[in-house]
Amino acid sequence: MSKLPVITIDGPSGVGKGTISQLLARHLDWHFLDSGALYRLTALAARRRGIALEDSEAVGLLAAELAVRFEPVAQGEARVILDNQEVTNDIRTAQAGVDASVVAVHPSVRAALLQRQRDFAQPPGLVADGRDMGTTVFPQAQRKFFLTASARVRAERRYKQLIEKGLDANLAGLVEEIEQRDERDRNRSASPLRPADDAICIDTSEKGIEAVFAEVLAHCQDVVI
Ligand code: C5P
């Protein structure tokens, strides 16, 4: 097992783990893996090629051959290129998130993306954000976190983000969408969403980003020295 330091941050969607992981990676000057982006990219590539998201064999093959590049633009930010086309915004839509959770149930897809995710572990270290980073992809990680928050709180956060962007939003619809996605992520047989036995669980419902980040950082002191 590699000695390269890895910190995993898992949890359901809308819990703030993307923000916390990026802040941590930037703070430590480590690499950052947004594993959800790989599932979003797989789903987008399938849609663009007219492959049914339910076709586990075809989508698994697609995931294995995904021609994707992450081009850093600013600290912690990257342009995402699929088949030589920029798709940075296309993979961020609500539909892309739902589609990602559909392809993510296929063991063929998860197996195809496994090594690709592990390849992100490069010196000086990696912060990995996802659903199964601590349980499956980096079980040997030096520190594992599992963030939670109620579906209601996560929907309210998402609602605020959409309204701030001047987009239409419906709170009840968002709660339902989040609950459905959680259900699919928790109940699939391949790498379901669950905390690793040795994960530190943090409920972010009543906490702001800064408080959660401070808590995470305090737990990482011995890893990063
Ligand atoms: O984190 P993000 O919202 O981008 O993830 C989109 C979907 O991809 C999740 O709802 C989940 O179904 C899937 N996913 C996964 N395993 C990961 C990361 C994401 O199954 N490690």
Side-chain angles (χ1 to χ4, degrees):
M1 291 262 170
S2 132
K3 284 272 181 285
L4 190 100
V6 176
I7 297 173
T8 60
I9 305 192
D10 289 305
S13 48
V15 83
K17 68 191 156 48
T19 310
I20 295 293
S21 313
Q22 285 194 40
L23 281 173
L24 187 61
R26 217 175 294 170
H27 179 84
L28 300 174
D29 211 6
W30 283 11
H31 295 278
F32 168 60
L33 165 61
D34 170 8
S35 60
L38 293 173
Y39 290 91
R40 288 168 180 265
L41 282 157
T42 303
L44 185 71
R47 279 215 181 265
R48 292 197 168 168
R49 293 183 193 196
I51 296 172
L53 303 182
E54 292 74 20
D55 185 340
S56 61
E57 200 183 327
V59 183
L61 288 173
L62 191 61
E65 285 165 9
L66 217 54
V68 58
R69 291 198 312 276
F70 294 90
E71 292 180 351
V73 277
Q75 254 206 335
E77 280 173 44
R79 266 162 38 99
V80 187
I81 313 289
L82 174 67
D83 292 329
N84 290 321
Q85 254 192 319
E86 173 158 18
V87 294
T88 316
N89 297 328
D90 305 75
I91 60 163
R92 290 294 146 211
T93 65
Q95 186 62 49
V98 173
D99 287 354
S101 73
V102 175
V103 300
V105 303
H106 303 313
S108 56
V109 171
R110 307 201 72 85
L113 295 180
L114 191 60
Q115 193 54 46
R116 206 183 272 263
Q117 295 174 81
R118 288 184 174 156
D119 289 343
F120 277 79
Q122 298 288 336
L126 176 71
V127 178
D129 158 357
R131 303 289 188 291
D132 61 343
M133 298 296 100
T135 51
T136 305
V137 182
F138 300 107
Q140 82 289 8
Q142 282 76 359
R143 194 63 82 243
K144 302 175 183 178
F145 294 94
F146 193 86
L147 306 188
T148 58
S150 69
R152 176 85 198 178
V153 165
R154 289 184 282 136
E156 280 169 2
R157 288 179 185 159
R158 178 90 187 117
Y159 179 82
K160 258 179 75 183
Q161 281 173 351
L162 291 170
I163 297 294
E164 275 164 15
K165 283 188 193 160
L167 297 168
D168 263 354
N170 169 301
L171 188 57
L174 286 171
V175 174
E176 202 181 311
E177 196 183 296
I178 283 186
E179 283 174 343
Q180 277 174 6
R181 181 123 72 103
D182 282 2
E183 167 96 5
R184 211 168 14 240
D185 287 350
R186 289 205 171 99
N187 293 322
R188 65 177 176 232
S189 55
S191 292
L193 170 67
R194 67 164 183 85
D197 293 338
D198 49 351
I200 296 164
C201 294
I202 302 176
D203 186 336
T204 73
S205 303
E206 309 281 321
K207 294 174 184 160
I209 288 292
E210 275 150 39
V212 178
F213 181 58
E215 199 170 331
V216 164
L217 203 54
H219 282 291
C220 292
Q221 295 308 328
D222 55 325
V223 177
V224 301
I225 290 169

